[in-house]
Amino acid sequence: MNMSLEAFKIRVLPTKDKLFRFAFKILGDQEEAQDVVQEVFIKVWNKREDMERLDNMEAWCMRVTRNLALDRVKSSKRKLTDSLDQSFEMSMGEKETPYQTTELSDTMNKIGRYIASLPEKQKHIIQLRDVEGYSYKEICDILEIDINQVKVNLFRARKSVRENLLNENAYGL
């Protein structure tokens, strides 16, 4: 059975922002990330006959996004950027002082740098779990790895970020 345009709008289009943030994390370039998301949507539309059988459309789209973005990184032989400025969308309350706002922003930038310096698998898992809010099962589907790898890598990633933050705050590095 074919996926209709209406089903595409309901099942696929709402994933656009998550797909973009994930592609942007890998590529570090907004235009390339947008291109990848567009490619994903074209792939989904071209394979719409098969899409009705998918249990988790979003996880499949995330996997395709990851693969296309990584292909671009490999083909252009570029380094991943360590800019996380746009992947943390912070909503500031009105009660924070300018000092608190600046300090929070600095801390988020530090966390972003620490995440960016993690090994690739850890970086992707912490992004999917802690930034995007995916379940362990969804992460397994997206990255095509088992649950133990997800848990171990997430634990190591969080531990590394936490230790870096504590060391920097303790020693003012």
Side-chain angles (χ1 to χ4, degrees):
M1 190 168 124
N2 257 353
M3 176 189 291
S4 67
L5 183 58
E6 200 54 40
F8 182 83
K9 286 179 182 174
I10 293 168
R11 290 185 72 194
V12 182
L13 285 184
T15 66
K16 186 179 93 182
D17 291 343
K18 281 184 179 179
L19 299 178
F20 171 79
R21 284 192 302 268
F22 194 43
F24 182 75
K25 280 292 309 140
I26 295 170
L27 294 164
D29 181 273
Q30 283 189 321
E31 284 180 26
E32 283 202 50
Q34 287 167 340
D35 289 349
V36 164
V37 172
Q38 208 132 33
E39 271 184 71
V40 171
F41 285 165
I42 291 167
K43 272 187 186 274
V44 171
W45 186 251
N46 289 339
K47 291 185 174 273
R48 62 189 177 277
E49 305 84 45
D50 307 327
M51 291 298 126
E52 290 301 319
R53 292 190 291 267
L54 278 180
D55 291 333
N56 190 334
M57 173 69 70
E58 188 174 308
W60 185 85
C61 289
M62 288 292 280
R63 184 171 39 219
V64 172
T65 300
R66 173 178 166 262
N67 292 340
L68 289 172
L70 289 174
D71 286 348
R72 282 177 179 245
V73 168
K74 287 175 195 157
S75 70
S76 64
K77 300 274 190 261
R78 295 180 332 169
K79 272 300 206 186
L80 296 175
T81 179
D82 52 358
S83 163
L84 261 192
D85 299 342
Q86 294 171 357
S87 50
F88 286 105
E89 295 156 14
M90 299 183 304
S91 57
M92 298 292 183
E94 293 168 26
K95 295 182 179 115
E96 281 111 0
T97 65
Y99 174 78
Q100 289 168 318
T101 302
T102 301
E103 192 165 293
L104 181 58
S105 179
D106 287 349
T107 301
M108 293 307 285
N109 286 335
K110 287 175 190 172
I111 290 170
R113 281 197 325 271
Y114 300 143
I115 289 174
S117 69
L118 291 170
E120 190 172 306
K121 190 183 286 185
Q122 289 179 18
K123 185 182 337 187
H124 291 186
I125 291 172
I126 201 169
Q127 171 75 18
L128 290 169
R129 181 74 182 154
D130 294 343
V131 178
E132 299 296 340
Y134 282 98
S135 71
Y136 289 116
K137 170 80 176 91
E138 289 170 319
I139 295 169
C140 291
D141 291 345
I142 292 166
L143 300 180
E144 300 177 283
I145 58 176
D146 70 54
I147 189 107
N148 292 326
Q149 287 185 53
V150 171
K151 289 179 178 179
V152 166
N153 280 283
L154 183 62
F155 173 79
R156 289 178 181 158
R158 286 175 174 166
K159 184 177 179 213
S160 175
V161 170
R162 184 172 45 250
E163 286 173 355
N164 281 322
L165 204 55
L166 288 171
N167 287 338
E168 186 161 329
N169 289 337
Y171 303 114
L173 299 173

Coordinates of all heavy atoms in Angstrom, one line a residue, residues 71-142:
D71 N 28.1 10.1 5.3 CA 28.7 9.9 4.0 C 29.2 11.3 3.5 O 30.3 11.3 2.9 CB 27.6 9.5 3.0 CG 27.2 8.0 3.1 OD1 28.0 7.3 3.9 OD2 26.2 7.6 2.6
R72 N 28.6 12.3 3.8 CA 29.0 13.7 3.4 C 30.3 14.0 4.1 O 31.2 14.6 3.5 CB 28.0 14.8 3.7 CG 26.9 14.8 2.7 CD 25.8 15.8 3.1 NE 24.8 15.8 2.1 CZ 24.6 16.9 1.3 NH1 25.2 18.0 1.4 NH2 23.6 16.8 0.4
V73 N 30.4 13.7 5.4 CA 31.6 13.9 6.2 C 32.8 13.2 5.5 O 33.9 13.7 5.3 CB 31.5 13.6 7.7 CG1 32.8 13.6 8.4 CG2 30.5 14.5 8.3
K74 N 32.6 11.9 5.3 CA 33.6 11.1 4.7 C 34.0 11.6 3.3 O 35.2 11.7 3.0 CB 33.2 9.6 4.6 CG 33.1 8.9 5.9 CD 32.5 7.5 5.7 CE 32.1 6.9 7.1 NZ 31.1 5.9 6.9
S75 N 33.0 11.9 2.5 CA 33.4 12.4 1.1 C 34.1 13.7 1.1 O 34.9 13.9 0.2 CB 32.1 12.4 0.3 OG 31.3 13.5 0.7
S76 N 33.8 14.5 2.0 CA 34.5 15.9 2.0 C 35.7 15.9 2.9 O 36.4 16.9 3.0 CB 33.5 16.9 2.4 OG 33.1 16.7 3.7
K77 N 36.0 14.8 3.6 CA 37.2 14.6 4.5 C 37.3 15.8 5.4 O 38.4 16.4 5.6 CB 38.4 14.6 3.6 CG 38.5 13.4 2.7 CD 39.0 12.2 3.4 CE 39.3 11.0 2.4 NZ 38.2 10.0 2.4
R78 N 36.1 16.2 6.0 CA 36.2 17.3 6.9 C 36.1 16.8 8.3 O 35.7 15.8 8.6 CB 34.9 18.2 6.7 CG 34.9 18.9 5.4 CD 33.7 19.7 5.3 NE 32.7 19.1 6.1 CZ 31.5 19.7 6.4 NH1 31.3 20.9 6.0 NH2 30.6 19.1 7.2
K79 N 36.6 17.7 9.2 CA 36.5 17.4 10.6 C 35.1 17.8 11.1 O 34.5 18.8 10.6 CB 37.5 18.2 11.4 CG 38.8 17.6 11.6 CD 38.7 16.3 12.3 CE 39.9 15.8 13.0 NZ 39.6 14.5 13.5
L80 N 34.6 17.1 12.1 CA 33.3 17.5 12.7 C 33.6 18.8 13.5 O 34.6 19.0 14.1 CB 32.9 16.4 13.7 CG 32.5 15.1 13.1 CD1 32.2 14.1 14.2 CD2 31.4 15.2 12.1
T81 N 32.6 19.7 13.4 CA 32.7 20.9 14.1 C 32.4 20.7 15.6 O 31.7 19.8 15.9 CB 31.7 22.0 13.5 OG1 31.9 23.2 14.3 CG2 30.3 21.5 13.6
D82 N 32.9 21.6 16.4 CA 32.6 21.4 17.8 C 31.7 22.5 18.3 O 31.6 22.8 19.5 CB 33.9 21.3 18.7 CG 34.8 22.4 18.5 OD1 34.6 23.3 17.6 OD2 35.8 22.5 19.1
S83 N 31.0 23.1 17.3 CA 30.0 24.1 17.7 C 28.7 23.5 18.0 O 28.1 22.9 17.2 CB 29.9 25.1 16.5 OG 28.7 25.9 16.7
L84 N 28.3 23.7 19.3 CA 27.0 23.2 19.7 C 26.0 24.3 19.9 O 24.9 24.1 20.4 CB 27.1 22.4 21.0 CG 27.2 20.9 20.9 CD1 27.0 20.3 22.3 CD2 26.3 20.3 20.0
D85 N 26.4 25.5 19.5 CA 25.6 26.7 19.8 C 24.1 26.5 19.5 O 23.2 26.8 20.2 CB 26.1 27.9 19.1 CG 27.5 28.2 19.5 OD1 28.0 27.7 20.6 OD2 28.2 29.0 18.8
Q86 N 23.9 25.8 18.3 CA 22.5 25.8 17.9 C 21.8 24.5 18.3 O 20.6 24.4 18.1 CB 22.4 26.0 16.4 CG 22.8 27.4 16.0 CD 23.0 27.6 14.6 OE1 22.9 26.7 13.8 NE2 23.3 28.8 14.2
S87 N 22.5 23.5 18.8 CA 21.8 22.3 19.2 C 21.2 22.4 20.6 O 20.4 21.7 21.0 CB 22.7 21.1 19.1 OG 23.9 21.3 19.7
F88 N 21.7 23.4 21.4 CA 21.1 23.6 22.7 C 20.2 24.8 22.6 O 20.7 26.0 22.6 CB 22.1 23.9 23.8 CG 22.8 22.6 24.2 CD1 24.1 22.4 23.8 CD2 22.2 21.7 25.0 CE1 24.8 21.3 24.1 CE2 22.9 20.5 25.4 CZ 24.2 20.3 24.9
E89 N 18.9 24.6 22.5 CA 18.0 25.7 22.4 C 17.5 26.0 23.8 O 16.7 25.3 24.4 CB 16.8 25.4 21.5 CG 17.3 25.2 20.1 CD 16.3 24.3 19.3 OE1 15.2 24.1 19.7 OE2 16.8 23.9 18.2
M90 N 18.1 27.0 24.5 CA 17.8 27.2 25.9 C 16.7 28.3 25.9 O 16.7 29.3 25.2 CB 19.0 27.8 26.6 CG 20.2 26.8 26.6 SD 21.5 27.4 27.6 CE 21.8 29.0 26.8
S91 N 15.7 28.0 26.8 CA 14.7 29.0 27.0 C 15.0 29.6 28.4 O 15.0 28.9 29.4 CB 13.3 28.3 27.0 OG 13.3 27.3 28.0
M92 N 15.3 30.9 28.3 CA 15.7 31.6 29.6 C 14.4 32.1 30.2 O 13.6 32.8 29.5 CB 16.6 32.7 29.2 CG 17.9 32.3 28.6 SD 18.9 31.4 29.9 CE 20.3 31.1 28.9
G93 N 14.3 31.9 31.5 CA 13.2 32.5 32.2 C 13.5 34.0 32.4 O 14.6 34.5 32.2
E94 N 12.5 34.7 32.8 CA 12.6 36.2 32.9 C 13.3 36.5 34.3 O 13.7 37.7 34.5 CB 11.3 36.9 32.8 CG 10.8 36.8 31.4 CD 9.3 37.2 31.2 OE1 8.9 38.0 32.0 OE2 8.7 36.7 30.3
K95 N 13.4 35.5 35.2 CA 13.9 35.8 36.5 C 15.4 35.9 36.6 O 16.0 36.4 37.5 CB 13.3 34.8 37.5 CG 11.8 34.9 37.6 CD 11.3 33.9 38.7 CE 9.8 34.1 38.8 NZ 9.1 32.9 38.4
E96 N 16.1 35.3 35.6 CA 17.6 35.2 35.7 C 18.2 36.6 35.5 O 17.7 37.4 34.6 CB 18.1 34.3 34.6 CG 18.0 32.8 35.0 CD 17.0 32.1 34.1 OE1 16.5 32.8 33.2 OE2 16.8 30.9 34.3
T97 N 19.2 36.9 36.2 CA 19.9 38.1 36.0 C 20.8 37.9 34.8 O 21.1 36.8 34.4 CB 20.9 38.4 37.2 OG1 21.9 37.3 37.3 CG2 20.1 38.4 38.6
P98 N 21.3 39.0 34.2 CA 22.2 38.9 33.1 C 23.4 38.0 33.4 O 23.9 37.3 32.6 CB 22.6 40.3 32.8 CG 21.5 41.2 33.3 CD 20.9 40.4 34.5
Y99 N 23.9 38.1 34.7 CA 25.1 37.3 35.1 C 24.7 35.8 35.0 O 25.5 35.0 34.5 CB 25.5 37.7 36.5 CG 26.6 36.8 37.1 CD1 27.9 36.9 36.7 CD2 26.2 35.8 37.9 CE1 28.9 36.1 37.1 CE2 27.2 34.9 38.4 CZ 28.5 35.1 38.0 OH 29.5 34.2 38.5
Q100 N 23.5 35.5 35.6 CA 23.1 34.1 35.6 C 22.9 33.6 34.1 O 23.3 32.4 33.8 CB 21.8 33.9 36.4 CG 22.0 34.1 37.9 CD 20.6 34.2 38.6 OE1 19.7 34.8 38.1 NE2 20.5 33.5 39.7
T101 N 22.3 34.4 33.3 CA 22.1 34.0 31.9 C 23.4 33.8 31.2 O 23.6 32.8 30.5 CB 21.3 35.1 31.2 OG1 20.1 35.4 31.9 CG2 21.1 34.8 29.8
T102 N 24.4 34.6 31.5 CA 25.7 34.5 30.9 C 26.4 33.2 31.4 O 27.0 32.5 30.6 CB 26.6 35.7 31.1 OG1 25.9 36.9 30.6 CG2 28.0 35.6 30.5
E103 N 26.3 33.0 32.7 CA 27.0 31.8 33.3 C 26.4 30.5 32.7 O 27.1 29.6 32.4 CB 26.9 31.9 34.8 CG 27.7 30.9 35.5 CD 27.9 31.1 37.0 OE1 28.5 32.1 37.3 OE2 27.4 30.3 37.7
L104 N 25.0 30.5 32.6 CA 24.4 29.3 32.1 C 24.8 29.1 30.6 O 25.1 28.0 30.2 CB 22.8 29.5 32.2 CG 22.0 28.3 31.7 CD1 22.4 27.0 32.4 CD2 20.5 28.6 31.8
S105 N 24.8 30.2 29.9 CA 25.3 30.1 28.5 C 26.7 29.6 28.4 O 27.0 28.7 27.5 CB 25.1 31.5 27.8 OG 25.5 31.4 26.5
D106 N 27.6 30.1 29.2 CA 29.0 29.6 29.2 C 29.0 28.1 29.6 O 29.8 27.3 28.9 CB 29.8 30.4 30.3 CG 30.1 31.8 29.8 OD1 29.9 32.1 28.6 OD2 30.6 32.6 30.7
T107 N 28.3 27.7 30.6 CA 28.2 26.3 30.9 C 27.7 25.4 29.8 O 28.3 24.4 29.5 CB 27.3 26.1 32.2 OG1 27.9 26.9 33.3 CG2 27.3 24.6 32.6
M108 N 26.7 25.9 29.1 CA 26.1 25.1 28.0 C 27.2 25.0 26.9 O 27.3 24.0 26.2 CB 24.8 25.7 27.5 CG 23.7 25.6 28.5 SD 23.4 24.0 29.1 CE 22.6 23.3 27.7
N109 N 27.9 26.1 26.6 CA 29.0 26.1 25.6 C 30.1 25.1 26.0 O 30.6 24.4 25.1 CB 29.5 27.5 25.4 CG 28.6 28.4 24.6 OD1 27.7 27.9 23.9 ND2 28.7 29.7 24.8
K110 N 30.4 25.0 27.3 CA 31.4 24.1 27.7 C 30.9 22.7 27.5 O 31.7 21.8 27.0 CB 31.8 24.3 29.2 CG 32.6 25.6 29.5 CD 32.7 25.8 31.0 CE 33.3 27.1 31.3 NZ 33.3 27.4 32.7
I111 N 29.7 22.4 27.9 CA 29.1 21.1 27.8 C 29.1 20.7 26.3 O 29.5 19.6 25.9 CB 27.7 21.0 28.4 CG1 27.8 21.1 29.9 CG2 27.0 19.7 27.9 CD1 26.4 21.2 30.6
G112 N 28.8 21.7 25.5 CA 28.8 21.4 24.0 C 30.2 21.0 23.5 O 30.3 20.1 22.7
R113 N 31.2 21.7 24.0 CA 32.6 21.4 23.6 C 33.0 20.0 24.1 O 33.6 19.3 23.4 CB 33.6 22.5 24.2 CG 33.6 23.8 23.4 CD 34.9 24.6 23.7 NE 35.4 24.5 25.1 CZ 35.0 25.3 26.1 NH1 34.1 26.2 25.9 NH2 35.5 25.2 27.3
Y114 N 32.6 19.7 25.3 CA 33.0 18.4 25.8 C 32.3 17.3 25.0 O 32.9 16.2 24.7 CB 32.6 18.2 27.3 CG 33.3 19.2 28.2 CD1 32.7 19.8 29.3 CD2 34.6 19.6 27.9 CE1 33.3 20.8 30.1 CE2 35.3 20.6 28.7 CZ 34.6 21.1 29.8 OH 35.3 22.1 30.5
I115 N 31.0 17.5 24.7 CA 30.3 16.5 23.9 C 30.9 16.3 22.5 O 31.1 15.2 22.0 CB 28.8 16.8 23.8 CG1 28.1 16.6 25.2 CG2 28.1 16.0 22.7 CD1 26.6 17.1 25.2
A116 N 31.3 17.5 22.0 CA 31.9 17.5 20.6 C 33.2 16.7 20.6 O 33.6 16.2 19.6 CB 32.1 18.9 20.1
S117 N 33.9 16.7 21.7 CA 35.2 16.0 21.8 C 35.1 14.5 22.1 O 36.1 13.8 22.1 CB 36.1 16.7 22.8 OG 35.6 16.4 24.1
L118 N 33.9 14.0 22.3 CA 33.7 12.6 22.6 C 33.9 11.8 21.4 O 33.8 12.2 20.3 CB 32.3 12.4 23.1 CG 31.9 12.9 24.5 CD1 30.4 12.8 24.7 CD2 32.6 12.2 25.6
P119 N 34.2 10.5 21.6 CA 34.3 9.5 20.4 C 32.9 9.6 19.7 O 31.9 9.8 20.3 CB 34.5 8.2 21.1 CG 35.1 8.5 22.4 CD 34.6 9.8 22.8
E120 N 32.9 9.3 18.4 CA 31.8 9.5 17.6 C 30.5 8.8 18.1 O 29.4 9.4 18.2 CB 32.1 9.0 16.1 CG 31.0 9.3 15.1 CD 31.4 9.0 13.7 OE1 32.5 9.5 13.3 OE2 30.7 8.3 13.1
K121 N 30.6 7.5 18.5 CA 29.5 6.7 18.9 C 28.9 7.4 20.2 O 27.7 7.5 20.3 CB 29.8 5.3 19.2 CG 28.6 4.4 19.5 CD 29.0 3.0 19.8 CE 29.5 2.2 18.6 NZ 29.7 0.8 18.8
Q122 N 29.8 7.7 21.2 CA 29.3 8.4 22.4 C 28.6 9.7 22.1 O 27.6 10.0 22.7 CB 30.4 8.6 23.4 CG 31.0 7.3 24.0 CD 32.1 7.6 24.9 OE1 32.3 8.7 25.4 NE2 32.9 6.6 25.2
K123 N 29.2 10.5 21.2 CA 28.6 11.8 20.8 C 27.2 11.6 20.2 O 26.3 12.3 20.6 CB 29.5 12.4 19.8 CG 29.2 13.8 19.4 CD 30.0 14.4 18.3 CE 31.4 13.9 18.2 NZ 32.3 14.6 17.3
H124 N 27.0 10.6 19.3 CA 25.7 10.4 18.7 C 24.7 10.0 19.8 O 23.6 10.4 19.8 CB 25.8 9.4 17.6 CG 26.6 9.9 16.4 ND1 26.7 9.3 15.2 CD2 27.3 11.1 16.2 CE1 27.4 9.9 14.4 NE2 27.8 11.1 15.0
I125 N 25.1 9.1 20.7 CA 24.2 8.5 21.6 C 23.8 9.6 22.6 O 22.6 9.7 22.9 CB 24.8 7.3 22.4 CG1 24.9 6.1 21.4 CG2 24.0 6.9 23.6 CD1 25.6 4.9 21.9
I126 N 24.7 10.4 23.1 CA 24.3 11.5 24.1 C 23.4 12.5 23.4 O 22.5 13.0 24.0 CB 25.6 12.1 24.8 CG1 25.1 12.7 26.1 CG2 26.3 13.0 23.9 CD1 26.3 13.1 27.0
Q127 N 23.7 12.8 22.2 CA 22.9 13.7 21.4 C 21.4 13.2 21.3 O 20.5 13.9 21.5 CB 23.5 14.0 20.0 CG 22.6 14.7 19.0 CD 22.5 16.2 19.3 OE1 23.3 16.8 20.0 NE2 21.5 16.9 18.8
L128 N 21.3 11.9 20.9 CA 20.0 11.3 20.7 C 19.2 11.2 22.0 O 18.0 11.5 22.0 CB 20.1 9.9 20.0 CG 20.6 10.0 18.6 CD1 20.9 8.6 18.1 CD2 19.5 10.6 17.7
R129 N 19.9 10.8 23.1 CA 19.2 10.6 24.3 C 19.0 11.9 25.1 O 17.9 12.2 25.5 CB 20.1 9.6 25.2 CG 19.5 9.3 26.5 CD 18.3 8.4 26.4 NE 17.7 8.1 27.7 CZ 16.5 7.8 27.9 NH1 15.7 7.6 26.9 NH2 16.0 7.6 29.1
D130 N 20.0 12.6 25.4 CA 19.9 13.8 26.3 C 19.5 15.1 25.6 O 18.9 15.9 26.2 CB 21.2 14.0 27.0 CG 21.6 12.9 27.9 OD1 20.7 12.1 28.3 OD2 22.8 12.8 28.3
V131 N 19.7 15.2 24.3 CA 19.3 16.4 23.6 C 18.0 16.2 22.9 O 17.1 17.0 23.0 CB 20.4 16.9 22.6 CG1 19.9 18.2 21.9 CG2 21.7 17.2 23.4
E132 N 17.9 15.1 22.2 CA 16.7 14.8 21.4 C 15.6 14.0 22.2 O 14.4 14.0 21.8 CB 17.0 14.1 20.1 CG 17.9 14.8 19.2 CD 17.3 16.1 18.6 OE1 16.1 16.3 18.7 OE2 18.1 17.0 18.2
G133 N 16.0 13.3 23.2 CA 15.0 12.6 24.1 C 14.5 11.3 23.5 O 13.4 10.8 23.9
Y134 N 15.3 10.6 22.7 CA 14.9 9.3 22.2 C 15.1 8.3 23.3 O 15.9 8.4 24.2 CB 15.8 8.9 21.0 CG 15.4 9.6 19.7 CD1 16.0 10.7 19.3 CD2 14.3 9.1 19.0 CE1 15.6 11.4 18.1 CE2 13.9 9.7 17.8 CZ 14.5 10.9 17.4 OH 14.1 11.5 16.3
S135 N 14.2 7.2 23.2 CA 14.3 6.1 24.1 C 15.5 5.2 23.7 O 16.1 5.3 22.6 CB 13.0 5.2 24.0 OG 13.0 4.5 22.8
Y136 N 15.9 4.3 24.7 CA 17.0 3.4 24.4 C 16.7 2.6 23.2 O 17.6 2.4 22.3 CB 17.3 2.5 25.6 CG 17.9 3.2 26.7 CD1 17.3 3.4 28.0 CD2 19.2 3.8 26.6 CE1 17.9 4.0 29.0 CE2 19.8 4.5 27.7 CZ 19.1 4.6 28.9 OH 19.7 5.2 30.0
K137 N 15.5 2.1 23.1 CA 15.1 1.2 22.0 C 15.2 2.0 20.6 O 15.7 1.5 19.6 CB 13.6 0.8 22.2 CG 13.0 0.1 21.0 CD 13.5 -1.4 20.9 CE 12.8 -2.1 19.8 NZ 13.4 -2.1 18.5
E138 N 14.7 3.2 20.6 CA 14.8 4.0 19.4 C 16.3 4.3 19.0 O 16.6 4.2 17.8 CB 14.1 5.4 19.6 CG 12.6 5.2 19.7 CD 11.9 6.5 20.1 OE1 12.4 7.2 21.0 OE2 10.8 6.8 19.5
I139 N 17.1 4.5 20.0 CA 18.6 4.7 19.7 C 19.2 3.5 19.1 O 19.9 3.5 18.2 CB 19.3 5.2 20.9 CG1 18.8 6.6 21.4 CG2 20.8 5.2 20.7 CD1 19.3 7.0 22.7
C140 N 18.8 2.3 19.6 CA 19.2 1.0 19.1 C 18.8 0.9 17.6 O 19.6 0.5 16.8 CB 18.6 -0.2 19.8 SG 19.2 -0.4 21.5
D141 N 17.6 1.3 17.3 CA 17.1 1.3 15.9 C 17.8 2.3 15.0 O 18.2 1.9 13.9 CB 15.6 1.6 15.9 CG 14.7 0.5 16.5 OD1 15.3 -0.6 16.7 OD2 13.6 0.7 16.8
I142 N 18.0 3.5 15.5 CA 18.7 4.5 14.7 C 20.1 4.2 14.4 O 20.6 4.3 13.3 CB 18.6 5.9 15.4 CG1 17.2 6.4 15.5 CG2 19.5 6.9 14.8 CD1 16.9 7.5 16.5

